Amino acid sequence: MSASLTLIMPAWNAEKEIERSVRSVLAQSYRDLRLIVVNDGSSDGTEAILERLAAEDARLTPMTVPNGGPAKARNLALDALEADTRYVMFIDADDELLPDAAQKAVDAAERGAELVIFGFSIIGADGSRRDYCERGETLTRAALGGALGRLYKANLLNQVWGKLFSAPQIREGKLRFPDYRWGEDRFFVFDCLERAKTVAVLPDCLYRYIMHGGESLISRYYDKKFAVCLEIDRRMERLCRDLGVTDERDFRYMFAKSVFSCLTVLYAPSCRLTEAEKQAAAAEIVADGRVRRRCRDASGGLPVKALCAVLQTGKPRIALAAFRAVAWTGKAAPRLFTSLKHRK
């Protein structure tokens, strides 16, 4: 079917949450939309749920493909966009959109924004809620550089959800997700930031990121994560140069946090490395020239400065000991850990 707005949702073994997520899209006050759900090789009841919901609402288009990860799933949906699609949004299969999210985003786009960014709420497994949003503003290309660090540090540029994108811009730039299992969202967002002449920031938290027990892709071990972190930081440096950014402390902070994560996940349950292999991974990180250069002068307060000092020692054993303690804090005091991890 044809619609001005297409929402894209990758789904893998999501039978417990996907109906709630799909219904949050189909219940939007903005009605001229299509939802493409890419069932990414699920082995549970996800496909049957999608078939039932599609029979109720023709705006839902399920696609079932062999498992290949969320990046490939999203790319397949982008390949299926109708020629008259004007806007694209993304949502994960266990999250929710507030009822007026699409309308508010489309309204901002129709006022001239090529990229619309809005806030989100993290809903913890214990029912806690933490909001991430910034003041509403419309940023021209000339003003974007001055706001970029604040938006990045506020965790509004890390995810592909919580945004509305220009479909013509995606088509003209042939924009797609790189085939990574972590960080691929940022590359897509950076691609769009490089091209956008006007960016609108909405002050509302219109997306609900629902946390569950167990590991997420964020906390799961990924063997290419450090290499992706380096590539992300190179891309952000390039974007900063293009936009005339002079103060890089917030960008150094975001890079430092990603490096911290590379060391912390060495103690995630999904990491099967031996102690010697963890030692080698830590040695590679603390010896890297970009880490030594960029993890200085970062914003973020005392905890960040202390962990950056650990990296600056260049000693893998000290780094492993420090980040083993960080991983333990994440398990023993998850609220404190989340507060520190997402502080601005």
Side-chain angles (χ1 to χ4, degrees):
M1 66 165 289
S2 172
S4 62
L5 168 63
T6 293
L7 293 100
I8 293 171
M9 176 190 296
W12 178 76
N13 286 354
E15 65 178 6
K16 293 180 180 178
E17 300 92 13
I18 194 165
E19 181 165 353
R20 170 179 48 78
S21 184
V22 165
R23 290 193 183 281
S24 82
V25 174
L26 299 179
Q28 289 292 300
S29 59
Y30 184 83
R31 306 299 295 172
D32 186 20
L33 61 83
R34 175 193 187 199
L35 172 61
I36 301 176
V37 181
V38 183
N39 174 29
D40 188 26
S42 297
S43 58
D44 64 357
T46 296
E47 184 174 10
I49 293 169
L50 291 174
E51 289 175 354
R52 172 170 55 80
L53 294 174
E56 296 176 11
D57 195 321
R59 295 176 300 163
L60 170 59
T61 303
M63 298 171 58
T64 295
V65 299
N67 180 254
K72 286 186 177 179
R74 288 170 177 154
N75 287 341
L76 287 169
L78 288 173
D79 292 341
L81 289 180
E82 298 285 347
D84 57 351
T85 300
R86 297 176 62 194
Y87 310 114
V88 174
M89 293 173 66
F90 297 90
I91 179 173
D92 285 351
D94 53 354
D95 296 339
E96 296 176 355
L97 280 174
L98 266 62
D100 57 350
Q103 184 68 65
K104 288 185 174 182
V106 169
D107 287 347
E110 292 185 345
R111 290 192 293 268
E114 294 172 296
L115 173 62
V116 181
I117 300 170
F118 49 89
F120 63 96
S121 301
I122 293 182
I123 310 300
D126 59 357
S128 61
R129 170 178 161 173
R130 188 174 178 87
D131 291 341
Y132 297 84
C133 54
E134 288 291 294
R135 66 174 181 267
E137 56 186 333
T138 299
L139 299 164
T140 63
R141 191 79 187 162
L144 182 56
L148 192 67
R150 174 170 53 82
L151 295 174
Y152 197 27
K153 193 176 180 183
N155 298 298
L156 293 182
L157 305 182
N158 299 345
Q159 313 81 212
V160 75
W161 43 257
K163 297 165 186 67
L164 180 143
F165 300 92
S166 161
Q169 191 179 80
I170 292 171
R171 279 192 289 266
E172 290 161 13
K174 299 180 180 178
L175 305 185
R176 293 296 185 270
F177 291 84
D179 189 16
Y180 299 143
R181 294 296 176 122
W182 179 87
E184 70 276 8
D185 286 27
R186 298 195 204 190
F187 291 105
F188 191 90
V189 173
F190 293 172
D191 282 340
C192 293
L193 284 169
E194 286 175 350
R195 292 164 171 80
K197 294 182 178 64
T198 306
V199 176
V201 181
L202 305 182
D204 312 291
C205 290
L206 302 173
Y207 188 97
R208 288 167 54 90
Y209 177 85
I210 315 294
M211 296 185 69
H212 307 279
E215 288 184 312
S216 69
L217 284 177
I218 296 172
S219 61
R220 194 177 301 155
Y221 174 73
Y222 174 48
D223 61 348
K224 296 182 177 64
K225 187 171 186 176
F226 180 57
V228 176
C229 285
L230 297 176
E231 189 177 347
I232 286 172
D233 194 53
R234 285 191 288 267
R235 281 291 305 276
M236 182 51 85
E237 272 195 307
R238 188 176 83 190
L239 186 57
C240 286
R241 285 195 301 270
D242 291 347
L243 294 172
V245 174
T246 54
D247 186 348
E248 294 195 345
R249 286 175 296 176
D250 288 344
F251 304 98
R252 291 172 181 261
Y253 164 74
M254 293 299 289
F255 176 59
K257 283 212 313 179
S258 68
V259 174
F260 299 165
S261 177
C262 291
L263 287 159
T264 304
V265 296
L266 293 175
Y267 294 98
S270 55
C271 181
R272 304 302 183 192
L273 298 183
T274 66
E275 196 60 33
E277 289 169 333
K278 291 178 183 178
Q279 187 87 10
E284 178 189 2
I285 291 171
V286 299
D288 185 85
R290 177 170 288 269
V291 172
R292 304 295 293 275
R293 174 172 63 86
R294 295 281 282 172
C295 292
R296 290 195 199 109
D297 244 0
S299 62
L302 186 59
V304 173
K305 292 185 185 302
L307 291 174
C308 282
V310 168
L311 298 178
Q312 295 296 330
T313 67
K315 298 185 181 300
R317 289 186 184 277
I318 293 176
L320 285 177
F323 286 95
R324 185 187 294 114
V326 171
W328 179 87
T329 302
K331 294 175 185 175
R335 282 201 184 189
L336 172 63
F337 182 78
T338 300
S339 176
L340 292 172
K341 181 177 179 180
H342 292 285
R343 73 197 302 264
K344 291 164 50 177

